[in-house]
Amino acid sequence: MEVKIAIKRSNAQTNGKAISQAYSIEMDGNRTLLDGLIRIREEQDPTLAFRGSCGTGFCGDCTMTVNGKGAVACRTKLGKALKKADDGIIEVGPLKLAKVAKDLMYDAENFHWQKFKAVEPWVDPVAPPAKGENVVANDEVQDLRAVMSCTQCGLCDQGCTVLVVDKTFLGPAALTKAYRAVFDSRDSRTAERLQKLSMRRGMWDCTHCFEASEHCPKRIEPTDRIFALHDKAIKAEAGPPKVVHHYKSFAASVKAHGWLDEARLAVETEGFTNVRGLMKLLPFAVKAGIKGKHPLPYMLHKKRPGAEHIKRIFEKWEDNGK
Ligand code: SF4
């Protein structure tokens, strides 16, 4: 079948400007986009630059934008891509959020490696027992194995709604790497790691939009990994104090009353001893009072109907050790 591909290129010949260049090849629809790009480079244009290595979805090297969405070229069938293409032309470009090095190749140093280095994704093991070795439970190994199947394709970062507005955010790919070390029971630096991940532009900037999980081709669920990092930091009180207070107050308020007490949340988030922080809340509290939106102090906060059922859900959840 004839396959038309329009490739967004930017290189020395285009003076760094992105231009669309169209190619046409004869190829079976069951072949992959990576096969098509290799054919174009070998037979029509040896200057076309793209990355590709294993050809089996294992290395995460050939990530690009296909018909407007992030995709791994060696896992993208030409026939299927054509069906989704406007005007019968497959549109191919580099990853949207990464700096382009040339054509479809992006600058991996900025996009991946610096962020991966920042989370120090290796295990610093505790000393093994005098007789024996550090044994890791089977469940833990299975969980870590799932994370270790990350190919560093960057599609979770491509889908991230925070990186769109702030490229300095650590991002789901690096945080998934961080999970690998934080949840390894042999690691000796868990609390220190959680403190570091609480850095500016770190794990707490995640908005829980679930786009990272939607985009991950390996079903590693990066969003859930970030949730797990948050939970661990809160339990270990290893996050920024305000964040830890906020999460704990939110849960305690809903458990006690069946719904959120905003006044309690604001006060407990700041902390009772943080007089300066509490004073800053005063103008906001006065404005809310004038508008009739001032919730009652939490001692007087009414329970919602059925609050005891919500409390029981919390207790069941706590009994399960979650
Ligand atoms: S977590 Fe998934 S989407 Fe993100 S880099 Fe790894 S394999 Fe790719």
Side-chain angles (χ1 to χ4, degrees):
M1 66 190 289
E2 186 193 13
V3 181
K4 289 183 181 163
I5 305 178
I7 302 176
K8 202 184 252 185
R9 304 191 62 186
S10 61
N11 49 46
Q13 286 78 39
T14 69
N15 290 325
K17 280 188 192 154
I19 57 146
S20 180
Q21 197 159 344
Y23 299 90
S24 171
I25 48 172
E26 275 299 319
M27 219 166 200
D28 190 302
N30 281 322
R31 300 289 294 275
T32 68
L33 175 60
L34 183 63
D35 292 333
L37 294 173
I38 291 170
R39 170 79 64 85
I40 291 170
R41 189 170 61 187
E42 286 180 350
E43 296 179 0
Q44 298 182 33
D45 191 342
T47 68
L48 180 63
F50 56 90
R51 281 201 192 90
S53 186
C54 71
T56 59
F58 188 74
C59 71
D61 228 14
C62 59
T63 319
M64 47 194 74
T65 304
V66 182
N67 295 329
K69 290 190 175 160
V72 178
C74 72
R75 305 295 290 169
T76 304
K77 297 269 194 253
L78 287 168
K80 278 194 181 165
L82 261 183
K83 276 187 194 152
K84 290 182 186 163
D86 291 335
D87 306 327
I89 302 174
I90 303 171
E91 303 274 349
V92 181
L95 274 189
K96 282 180 192 162
L97 299 180
K99 194 174 150 205
V100 177
K102 185 182 175 193
D103 299 338
L104 303 174
M105 282 173 61
Y106 60 88
D107 174 0
E109 177 64 22
N110 273 315
F111 191 61
H112 285 316
W113 311 137
Q114 284 178 9
K115 291 181 179 181
F116 287 179
K117 275 183 213 158
V119 303
E120 302 179 357
W122 55 82
V123 173
D124 281 316
V126 289
K131 287 181 188 169
E133 55 191 35
N134 289 326
V135 178
V136 181
N138 194 40
D139 283 357
E140 186 182 317
V141 173
Q142 297 303 330
D143 183 51
L144 293 179
R145 271 208 179 140
V147 178
M148 284 155 67
S149 69
C150 169
T151 60
Q152 301 164 20
C153 67
L155 288 184
C156 52
D157 280 358
Q158 162 101 343
C160 174
T161 51
V162 179
L163 280 168
V164 175
V165 291
D166 181 1
K167 287 187 182 152
T168 61
F169 170 47
L170 213 40
L175 288 167
T176 301
K177 279 262 163 256
Y179 179 104
R180 164 69 188 85
V182 168
F183 281 84
D184 192 313
S185 57
R186 295 165 300 176
D187 189 63
S188 59
R189 295 171 48 208
T190 310
E192 180 203 326
R193 287 179 192 282
L194 291 167
Q195 294 282 4
K196 276 197 179 165
L197 293 174
S198 298
M199 62 176 88
R200 218 168 129 75
R201 311 288 187 254
M203 65 173 172
W204 299 103
D205 277 21
C206 169
T207 58
H208 306 162
C209 67
F210 280 94
E211 284 294 329
S213 289
E214 291 282 326
H215 281 74
C216 177
K218 304 292 281 185
R219 301 195 178 165
I220 293 170
E221 309 292 351
T223 315
D224 286 344
R225 307 293 169 178
I226 299 172
F227 271 126
L229 287 168
H230 288 176
D231 285 348
K232 197 159 179 105
I234 291 162
K235 272 193 196 144
E237 307 219 345
K242 266 194 195 177
V243 175
V244 174
H245 295 165
H246 183 88
Y247 273 71
K248 288 193 168 176
S249 174
F250 196 106
S253 167
V254 177
K255 182 182 173 186
H257 304 289
W259 50 19
L260 184 64
D261 179 346
E262 288 91 345
R264 172 181 184 167
L265 184 70
V267 172
E268 291 185 352
T269 298
E270 286 300 333
F272 289 105
T273 52
N274 180 6
V275 179
R276 228 169 135 191
L278 292 172
M279 293 304 284
K280 275 192 200 160
L281 290 175
L282 265 181
F284 181 72
V286 171
K287 270 190 206 164
I290 292 168
K291 299 266 180 193
K293 292 184 182 283
H294 203 310
L296 292 166
Y298 68 80
M299 285 77 81
L300 305 175
H301 194 65
K302 280 187 188 160
K303 287 187 182 186
R304 59 164 289 156
E308 63 282 5
H309 299 302
I310 294 171
K311 190 175 179 190
R312 274 209 294 279
I313 294 171
F314 268 87
E315 285 167 351
K316 201 167 176 188
W317 178 67
E318 285 158 359
D319 285 348
N320 285 340
K322 297 280 179 184

